[in-house]
Each structure stands twice: as structure tokens, then as C-alpha cells.
Amino acid sequence: MIKVEHLSKSFGNVKAVDDISFEVKEHENLILLGTSGCGKTTTLKMINRLIEPSGGNIFINGQNILQQQPEILRRGIGYVLQNNGLFPHYTVAQNIAIVPQLLKWDKARTEKRIAELLEKLHLTTDYLTAYPAELSGGQQQRVGLARALVADPAVLLMDEPFGALDNVTRSKIHQEFKALDELKRKTIIMVTHDVQEAFELGDHICLMDKGKIVQDDSPAGLLFNPANDFVRGFLQEQRLQLEFKTVRMHELWQWLPALEKEVKPDSLPIETDLWTGLEQFKFAAAETINVRNQQDHEVRSASFEQLMSAFYQYKQQRGV
Amino acid sequence: MNEQQQTLWGFMAEQKDKLLEQTIQHIGLTFISLFIAVAIGLPLGIFIARRKQFSGPVLGVAGVLQTIPSIALLGFMIPVLGIGPKPAIAALLLYALLPIIRNTFTGIVGVDAAVKEAATAMGMSKWQVLFKVELPLAMPVIFAGVRTATVITVGVATLASYIAAGGLGEFIFGGISLNNTNMILAGAIPAALLAIVFDFLLSRLQKLNIKKLKIATASLPLLLILLSSFYFLPSAYATKLKAGFTPEFMGRHDGNLGLQSKYGLKISTVVISDAVMYKAAYEKQLDVISGYSTDGRLKAYNLVVLDDDKKIFPPYYAAPIVRESSLKKFALLEKILNLLADKINDSVMTALNYKTDYLHQSPEKVAKDFLVDKGLWKPARNGNNGLVRIGSKIFGEQYILANMYSMLIKGNSDYGVATKTGLGGTKICFDALTNDAIDFYPEYTGTGLLAILQPSLKTVDSLTSSKEATYNYVKKGFHEKYNIAWLKPIGFNNAYALMIREKQAKDLKIKTISDLKRYLESK
């Protein structure tokens, strides 16, 4: 879907992005992860040509975007910014309607689409006539997201979209983000410096440093097959939490004991991550949890100790 | 008629047509200039916001324009644009440019970068970003600039009357030279009110919230055009020749009023400043001007004085007028000042004025050369015995006289001297004298009679044909009323005079004011 080849960008003598290549498949979430100044935002902005590359090529659906007219290209790509970039002199409705207006949609179609999006993003229609300054940070970010999604672009670029939010609001929006059906149909490239966020939302992650991609891999790949010490060091601090969140029940399946007791109605699906599984002990105060394989309806159960032991064996198998 | 007892309201009611016309001219002048300044300044501000390398030079030039004294700027305009509304508007708009350009630039540069980036990223073209995002968001700052420009323009527009463009300045400057407080206030109060009202209205516009701002933005150009249309050219019936008179001359019985009543002269007239009048005549912008018979520019610009065959211009013999208390305090003063009595006749004074006005010699040098030539000059003594304060009005002849007196006092006594030159017109100078801010200044008999004592028309008529009668009348009047003494006249008569270009006078065979009238009435 999106193919980046030998992309470079220099500002004077500084190479902000240095000959990077990667690919994002359709409906995938790619996270560009790294510290400030690693070139991740520059990379993102070259994809909608807010920044013109010094060298290399970018293809979207096989088309070289450098040969397209920038304005037309951008109208087909959703863009969400950290500070939302809402127009302070436009109402919420007007803000969301900017791209439809540029695309010359008729009024009824625009209104219908806006109403649909607001509902999905849990904003009532009361907000339509409000100005951005009257909204909370989380609400502003939702409107920003609605604005990016309104014309249903196939590609969505997000520049630290949740960076300005407090932790509570952020994790709430993370949940919504993952649940939003609109987003499942998108190919997304998101920039973040937050490792947790990257692991939570990314299908695969490009870890960048000094303008180069150090490792382009799945979250598990980064954790269990780090390319070098930089990758290892980058994840070190939050390693255990990241592992719990990355490892899923189906990966532990073979080490889970068969069902001993009767099936509980609230068994977890097999895609559940270990972190959520462990949380059950805390919230449900149960001795064991049940995990169900949806395909063959087999159910297995495990106690806290059994789960941890399965995790330990899994890690040994991966050789970490 | 005693104008001093007339109230301000009385004056304004009497002159209400003129006041209304001047106010409307003033508003029109202000907003035409402002409209053009916005039309130029806004795009220029946008341009330098886009190409920042030009912002330094453009703002620099606009800043320098702002520092040029307004009367000088008006003077520069005359050779290029003539006199009347054109140079006035050009000068006013140059003053209004800086705040508009600067605020447009600041406003646009100050728009949140994230908002601009979002606009671009959504697929807006550069122009769409400008009109939908940058300009609307910069609008409060731009309004603030327009507001500053408006207040500046309302103020500076009073000077438009210097170059025959009308406006409330006609009353203000006429009043200053005629020593008529009511007239000054009749111009100054409406001008101040205009500034306050427009400032207030624009401040309201600036504080509007986002919703209403859109309406305001759309209505501003319309409003500017509407207010601009207030201005119509100073209405005058066109005659074969065009006259330019000073505001002072316009309002005086021994000026334009006398020309109309005694000669029946009908000529299309504009009001113009003494400072630019001679030049405008020389540049053929004007044909007939009201000048002073000893003015150096007469010689410089090849103008000739028309003979006042019906004697309407009273004599203006110059003499120092001194506070009587100062004469007591400085015992030698009277004798020293009288050293100059009868030493300078009309042609000598014109030649001296020519040296300062046209040859650009300093008044000091001209004064010293003259005194040396006459054998009156002595080196300065120690000057430690009290301080004599000399005043002068704000034109060359008075500077020269003040310098001569200063040198004579220093050379012939031990008094110290402080010169306070450039005290504006008659009113300012005379008020300075009565309030003991100066000890003496050179005054003219005609001015003393008509601008200060202001006797009845009948008395004036009986006096003005005789030099001595006028002098004796003012001498007596000043002593009784103000305890101010008139010393001996210096000799020259700097009277009002109508003048025209020498060549034109020859071509049209005009020598007297009656000739001029006959020429104007012939077909």
C-alpha cells in the first residue's frame, strides 16, 4: 500500500532522514518510534509532502506521490497533529467540513457524514456549533480525528496524536482508537516517542535513531529479537510490562493446563494479551481464569502461577 | 464687532456650514488615505510575511517615512502632485502605511504554526490558507493597526489645510494666526472628537468575538469606501486665475473679506499654508497668492506685488514690543533696541529675507553681516547682569530680527540673552509676552491693531490709511490694556500684498488689484 524507498532529507548539512526504506501493508498500523530529533516526524511529513524529500521515492498504491499535485494528494490523506491544529475561528462542524468543502461535496452529504462520525467518536451534536476553545483537550483531539477521517481517506498520518493529553484521557482514547471500526479500514502511519503507545497500537514498529531505521519489526520481534544494543536499551526500562502486553494467550496455549473445572461464562478470547489476563486476578479475585479458542471452542484454564510459568517457558523457547 | 466676547457656541453656530463642510472634508480625507493605505499596506504586509527577507527593508522604509515631519512631507509632494487633495492624501497614506504593514506582518506571522500546518495538510492551496486561515486569524491584530493608522491620520489631516486640501485644519491654523481662540477650538474640538470616536468604534470592532468578526471583516472595506466618498473637492467657482490664501488672510477684514467688499474681487480660492504658497505660485499651481511685501521668496520665485490702489491693507510697520516692567528692569534696553530704528527699509528687508530663505544663509550670519555693514556690531561683553528673553514668531524675518537684537544687547550691555524663537503665530508669541515668558519680540502695527486690539471696523477704516495714526493707536492701546510698550519702528512695512508671477503680470498687463479684477471680469 505505502512503499518508501531510499528516502532522505537534509536540512543544510544535517541529514534528518538518511536513506530509509519501509513498507506498510493495507490496513496496517505502522509506528515510527524514536526519541526527539530521530527523523520520525520528518519522515511522516514527507508522505503528505509537507516536507519535500531530498532523495528517494514514496509510492501509495503504486503511484509515485512526488509526481502528484500536493494539494490533491493531501486531500486523500488524513492528518492528525499533536496540538490538533483545529481552526480557532471555525466551529466544530466547520472544522470537520473543511476537506469535504475542498472536495466540493454537497451540504447534505457533508452533514450526514459529520453526524455519523460524531456518534462514533462519542460527541453529541451539541458540540457542532461550539468553537474549539470551548472543548476539553480530549474532545479537541476527537474533533481533530473526525476532521481527518471525514472524507474516508485510505491513508491516515498521525503526528504524536495523543502526546498533548493527560495519561487518563490518553488511555481512554487508546481504547476508543482500537475499537473504532473506521480505523480498521485505514492504513495508518503514526509517529510517537511513547514506547507503551507504540506497542499498544502498532502492528509493526520502525524504531528510528539519527535518521536511520534501526529495526523494523513486530512488537514481539523488537522485544525478543532486538537487532542490537540500542533496541535493547530503548525498551529496557519498561521491558516486563511491554512483554506482558505483547505476549498473547495463543502463544502460551501449549503450556496452559487443560480445563479442570466447569467452563465459566466469562472466558477470555485467545487473542487476549497476558497483561489483561493477569489483571483478571486482581479485578475478579478469581483463582483461575479461562481462555477459549474460538475456532474449536476448546477452553483451558490457568492459575496466576501457571500463567507465569507458561510465560517463562515461552520466553525460554524464544531464547531470550 | 468684538470677537473676543463671542462664545464658542456662537462662533460654531455662525460658522456651522463651514464647520460641517470642513468636518466632512476631514473625514473624507482621512478615510480615502486610510483606504488606499490599507489597499497598499495589506498586500505588502502579506508579501513580507511570505518572504521574510524583504520584511526588514520594507518595514524600515515605512518607518523612515513615518519620521519625516508632516509639513516637510507635504512640501516634498508639491512639485510632484501639486497642491490640493492629491498631495495631502499621498502624504497621509504614507503616514498610515507603517502601522498597517507592520500589524499585517505581525498578525500573519503570529498565526499558530500547527493551524497553518493543518490547513496545508488538508489540501488547501496557498491562497486558501491565506484567506481562510491566516487573514481571519490575523484580523484582530490587523484591526489594531488600522486603528492606530486612523488616529494618526485624523491628527495629521489637520495639516492638509496647509496645501489647500481643506479639513478642520483651516479653522485651527486660521485661529492661531488670527488670535481667535473660538476659531481654534471650533477646529480642534471636532478633530479631537473624530479621533476619539473612530478610535472607540475600531476598538469595539477589534474586541468582537470570532463569529461577529467575519461580518466586521466584510463590512470594513464597505465602510471605508462609504466614508471616503464624504470627500468632495473644496468647492469653488472656477475663474480664469486661481488664488491661494493663508487661513489668516481668509478670515481678515484687511484680507480676503476686504478684497471682496472693497474691490468686489471674485476669484476661486483655496486655503494654503504660507510655507508652501510661494512655491505653489512658482510651480503655476496657483496664480494669485496672499504674501508679505518683504518676503524673501518674492525675489526667489520671481513674484511681483500688485499695487493696493484702494488701500485696504493696513500698514504693518515692524517695531519691538516690550513689557514695560522689563524696560524698568533693564535700563539700557530701550536705547539698545532703538539702535535698529529706521535702519531697515522694505527692499533691505526683502534682500535679508532672500539671503535666509533662498540662499540658505543662517539668520545669525545674515544678522551679523548686516550689523557689521552698518557699523553697529560690537563683540559680546560678559553677559552676567540679568537675562533678557527675546521671542520671535516662526518665520525667517523674525529670526533675523531676533538675532540682531541679541547681538546688539550682548555688544552694548552686560545683559545675558535667551532667544525663544519659533513661537508659532501671533497668538502664541503675544501670550508668551503677556505671561512674562519673554521680555519682547518684534511685532507689526497692523497685527497689533487687527489681531490683538481688534477695534471696531469703523475705527480700523479711519486708521489704516495712515502709518503714524496706526502706530500711535496701537502704542496707546497696548500701554493702557497690557502695559506693553511699542518702541520705534524699524523702518520696513511688511504688509499684506497680493502677488503674482512677474511674467504673468507682464503678459496680462496687471499692475494693481483693480487691474486683476478687470482681467477676471473680462471675457
Side-chain angles (χ1 to χ4, degrees):
Chain A
M1 174 87 193
I2 302 175
K3 209 165 147 192
V4 170
E5 290 179 351
H6 303 293
L7 193 64
S8 295
K9 178 68 192 179
S10 310
F11 296 105
N13 289 328
V14 184
K15 277 194 169 173
V17 175
D18 189 5
D19 191 28
I20 63 167
S21 302
F22 61 85
E23 211 172 315
V24 193
K25 295 199 187 64
E26 199 166 2
H27 302 169
E28 232 183 16
N29 277 6
L30 171 74
I31 310 284
L32 296 173
L33 178 66
T35 48
S36 309
C38 72
K40 56 192 193 301
T41 299
T42 309
T43 306
L44 186 81
K45 286 182 180 175
M46 283 194 277
I47 296 169
N48 64 359
R49 293 181 63 186
L50 286 175
I51 295 175
E52 292 293 328
S54 310
N57 280 307
I58 301 167
F59 297 92
I60 296 181
N61 281 332
Q63 265 201 311
N64 188 342
I65 64 155
L66 297 175
Q67 281 154 16
Q68 280 177 282
Q69 204 194 320
E71 284 83 22
I72 306 293
L73 168 77
R74 290 176 193 140
R75 285 170 204 173
I77 300 177
Y79 187 63
V80 183
L81 301 81
Q82 172 171 8
N83 293 315
N84 71 59
L86 294 176
F87 293 4
H89 58 308
Y90 275 29
T91 61
V92 167
Q94 287 168 328
N95 261 298
I96 302 177
I98 292 168
V99 179
Q101 230 175 20
L102 293 172
L103 296 172
K104 303 199 165 59
W105 285 14
D106 63 59
K107 215 177 151 195
R109 183 180 170 196
T110 310
E111 278 173 7
K112 191 171 156 233
R113 175 66 178 145
I114 292 175
E116 186 183 78
L117 271 175
L118 283 187
E119 203 193 314
K120 284 183 184 168
L121 290 166
H122 310 292
L123 289 165
T124 64
T125 48
D126 300 340
Y127 290 115
L128 282 178
T129 52
Y131 283 87
E134 297 161 348
L135 305 181
S136 71
Q139 286 167 333
Q140 286 176 6
Q141 208 52 36
R142 286 193 191 106
V143 175
L145 190 58
R147 186 173 68 171
L149 291 174
V150 65
D152 205 7
V155 176
L156 194 59
L157 305 180
M158 306 178 97
D159 184 9
E160 309 236 5
F162 312 118
L165 302 177
D166 61 89
N167 284 337
V168 178
T169 315
R170 178 162 30 185
S171 67
K172 215 169 125 195
I173 290 199
H174 279 170
Q175 296 308 319
E176 286 178 27
F177 185 86
K178 282 192 281 189
L180 202 62
D181 62 339
E182 292 260 352
L183 292 173
K184 291 183 179 142
R185 297 190 257 117
K186 309 278 176 224
T187 308
I188 299 174
I189 300 181
M190 183 193 289
V191 162
T192 186
H193 64 264
D194 180 343
V195 182
Q196 295 276 0
E197 187 169 87
F199 275 70
E200 198 164 337
L201 303 177
D203 290 320
H204 72 131
I205 297 172
C206 285
L207 180 59
M208 292 183 69
D209 184 45
K210 294 176 189 141
K212 287 184 182 292
I213 294 177
V214 183
Q215 189 171 358
D216 176 4
D217 212 329
S218 65
L222 282 174
L223 269 175
F224 301 119
N225 294 313
N228 54 25
D229 286 343
F230 175 80
V231 179
R232 206 171 285 121
F234 198 84
L235 305 177
Q236 196 52 49
E237 230 172 273
Q238 304 167 70
R239 179 157 205 100
L240 190 61
Q241 197 184 5
L242 291 174
E243 285 178 355
F244 283 165
K245 283 190 172 175
T246 308
V247 175
R248 299 185 184 270
M249 290 302 180
H250 66 82
E251 289 164 312
L252 304 177
W253 190 254
Q254 52 176 307
W255 294 289
L256 295 181
L259 181 68
E260 288 172 358
K261 294 180 186 157
E262 72 281 11
V263 181
K264 282 189 192 161
D266 54 349
S267 61
L268 299 166
I270 199 164
E271 291 83 17
T272 312
D273 60 64
L274 178 57
W275 178 266
T276 315
L278 292 173
E279 274 185 329
Q280 297 302 308
F281 292 107
K282 192 172 150 201
F283 292 124
E287 274 172 34
T288 59
I289 56 161
N290 297 324
V291 182
R292 173 197 288 270
N293 183 342
Q294 271 90 341
Q295 266 127 42
D296 57 8
H297 298 291
E298 190 190 348
V299 178
R300 294 192 173 179
S301 79
S303 66
F304 184 84
E305 290 77 16
Q306 285 166 328
L307 216 49
M308 290 307 286
S309 142
F311 171 66
Y312 180 68
Q313 289 175 61
Y314 168 78
K315 274 181 71 171
Q316 276 208 320
Q317 189 200 37
R318 295 217 52 160
V320 188
Chain B
M1 193 182 93
N2 192 340
E3 286 205 334
Q4 277 180 324
Q5 281 167 16
Q6 194 181 23
T7 63
L8 176 60
W9 278 118
F11 181 86
M12 287 172 93
E14 187 188 292
Q15 301 277 342
K16 65 173 187 294
D17 290 343
K18 197 135 187 254
L19 186 62
L20 187 70
E21 187 195 319
Q22 288 184 6
T23 308
I24 287 173
Q25 278 178 349
H26 203 94
I27 296 174
L29 212 51
T30 302
F31 283 95
I32 290 178
S33 315
L34 212 55
F35 180 68
I36 302 174
V38 171
I40 296 172
L42 200 63
L44 210 54
I46 293 167
F47 174 75
I48 60 173
R50 282 286 151 82
R51 301 195 193 282
K52 294 206 180 66
Q53 71 267 34
F54 292 106
S55 65
V58 169
L59 290 174
V61 169
V64 167
L65 286 175
Q66 194 97 38
T67 62
I68 301 176
S70 20
I71 190 72
L73 192 58
L74 290 171
F76 290 145
M77 295 286 165
I78 293 178
V80 191
L81 293 168
I83 56 167
K86 267 191 282 176
I89 289 168
L92 288 178
L93 89 84
L94 288 181
Y95 281 112
L97 270 183
L98 179 67
I100 293 174
I101 298 176
R102 193 179 44 205
N103 282 42
T104 306
F105 173 74
T106 316
I108 289 180
V109 170
V111 171
D112 184 358
V115 174
K116 278 193 254 194
E117 187 183 283
T120 313
M122 275 184 291
M124 285 187 165
S125 68
K126 277 195 165 177
W127 289 105
Q128 284 170 325
V129 174
L130 177 66
F131 284 108
K132 294 189 179 211
V133 181
E134 289 176 313
L135 279 183
L137 290 176
M139 212 35 94
V141 184
I142 296 174
F143 272 145
V146 174
R147 187 176 157 198
T148 312
T150 308
V151 176
I152 292 175
T153 312
V154 169
V156 181
T158 52
L159 296 175
S161 66
Y162 273 151
I163 49 167
L168 289 162
E170 284 187 16
F171 272 159
I172 298 175
F173 296 109
I176 289 175
S177 30
L178 289 171
N179 187 20
N180 184 337
T181 313
N182 288 336
M183 199 186 226
I184 299 173
L185 291 177
I189 290 173
L193 281 178
L194 283 183
I196 292 168
V197 167
F198 288 131
D199 186 53
F200 173 73
L201 290 179
L202 283 165
S203 77
R204 294 295 299 266
L205 214 58
Q206 204 184 329
K207 280 184 203 132
L208 285 181
N209 62 24
I210 295 161
K211 284 173 234 180
K212 289 181 190 146
L213 199 62
K214 282 178 202 162
I215 307 165
T217 309
S219 59
L220 188 72
L222 284 174
L223 203 71
L224 277 179
I225 294 172
L226 187 75
L227 287 168
S228 300
S229 66
F230 268 34
Y231 191 80
F232 39 86
L233 306 183
S235 55
Y237 40 93
T239 53
K240 281 186 272 189
L241 297 178
K242 193 172 179 189
F245 296 152
T246 61
E248 179 172 7
F249 189 83
M250 286 297 282
R252 293 179 75 136
H253 289 284
D254 60 329
N256 193 34
L257 301 177
L259 284 177
Q260 284 170 357
S261 62
K262 296 233 176 101
Y263 282 97
L265 190 73
K266 282 205 174 83
I267 185 163
S268 50
T269 307
V270 293
V271 179
I272 190 166
S273 147
D274 168 76
V276 295
M277 184 170 62
Y278 294 87
K279 193 155 193 212
Y282 177 72
E283 308 258 356
K284 299 187 183 168
Q285 303 285 339
L286 295 170
D287 300 303
V288 181
I289 59 169
S290 64
Y292 298 99
S293 50
T294 58
D295 199 301
R297 288 169 292 187
L298 208 64
K299 200 170 158 187
Y301 292 120
N302 291 324
L303 304 173
V304 289
V305 172
L306 295 182
D307 188 27
D308 175 22
D309 48 333
K310 291 191 180 169
K311 300 278 173 225
I312 65 157
F313 300 135
Y316 278 72
Y317 285 91
I321 61 172
V322 196
R323 296 175 59 80
E324 284 166 6
S325 60
S326 303
L327 287 179
K328 281 193 198 110
K329 191 172 159 196
F330 304 105
L332 294 170
L333 191 59
E334 180 163 0
K335 209 182 121 219
I336 295 169
L337 297 185
N338 280 337
L339 285 174
L340 219 52
D342 275 324
K343 287 286 187 305
I344 305 174
N345 64 18
D346 283 13
S347 58
V348 171
M349 195 66 238
T350 307
L352 293 178
N353 283 333
Y354 176 74
K355 282 186 186 169
T356 52
D357 293 348
Y358 197 71
L359 302 179
H360 305 300
Q361 296 180 358
S362 73
E364 232 175 306
K365 180 180 174 349
V366 174
K368 189 177 170 186
D369 287 352
F370 174 82
L371 292 180
V372 169
D373 191 44
K374 294 276 168 190
L376 290 170
W377 193 80
K378 288 180 188 168
R381 285 154 67 173
N382 57 17
N384 58 7
N385 187 12
L387 189 70
V388 181
R389 298 155 303 168
I390 310 176
S392 95
K393 297 185 196 177
I394 192 160
F395 56 90
E397 178 172 299
Q398 293 251 335
Y399 291 149
I400 298 173
L401 293 175
N403 272 297
M404 286 183 187
Y405 285 130
S406 164
M407 288 169 193
L408 286 173
I409 294 169
K410 284 180 190 162
N412 290 292
S413 75
D414 288 330
Y415 305 143
V417 175
T419 43
K420 299 190 176 183
T421 51
L423 288 174
T426 300
K427 179 170 173 53
I428 297 168
C429 232
F430 186 69
D431 284 352
L433 187 67
T434 52
N435 290 312
D436 199 13
I438 54 176
D439 293 305
F440 76 95
Y441 75 92
E443 187 53 282
Y444 306 89
T445 52
T447 313
L449 180 71
L450 295 158
I452 297 170
L453 291 177
Q454 299 183 350
S456 70
L457 270 182
K458 216 175 126 197
T459 317
V460 172
D461 275 351
S462 70
L463 290 172
T464 51
S465 51
S466 158
K467 171 189 166 184
E468 285 74 25
T470 311
Y471 179 78
N472 289 334
Y473 185 88
V474 292
K475 189 172 178 169
K476 185 161 170 279
F478 271 56
H479 169 67
E480 284 167 3
K481 235 174 158 174
Y482 306 112
N483 291 325
I484 287 171
W486 282 76
L487 303 187
K488 287 183 189 161
I490 301 164
F492 63 91
N493 175 18
N494 187 5
Y496 267 133
L498 286 195
M499 36 190 88
I500 66 175
R501 287 185 298 281
E502 197 174 358
K503 187 173 179 305
Q504 196 173 36
K506 267 186 199 147
D507 292 349
L508 303 176
K509 296 191 179 64
I510 298 174
K511 281 186 178 156
T512 65
I513 298 176
S514 298
D515 291 346
L516 176 67
K517 178 181 183 255
R518 273 195 293 280
Y519 171 74
L520 288 171
E521 284 170 2
S522 66
K523 285 183 183 169

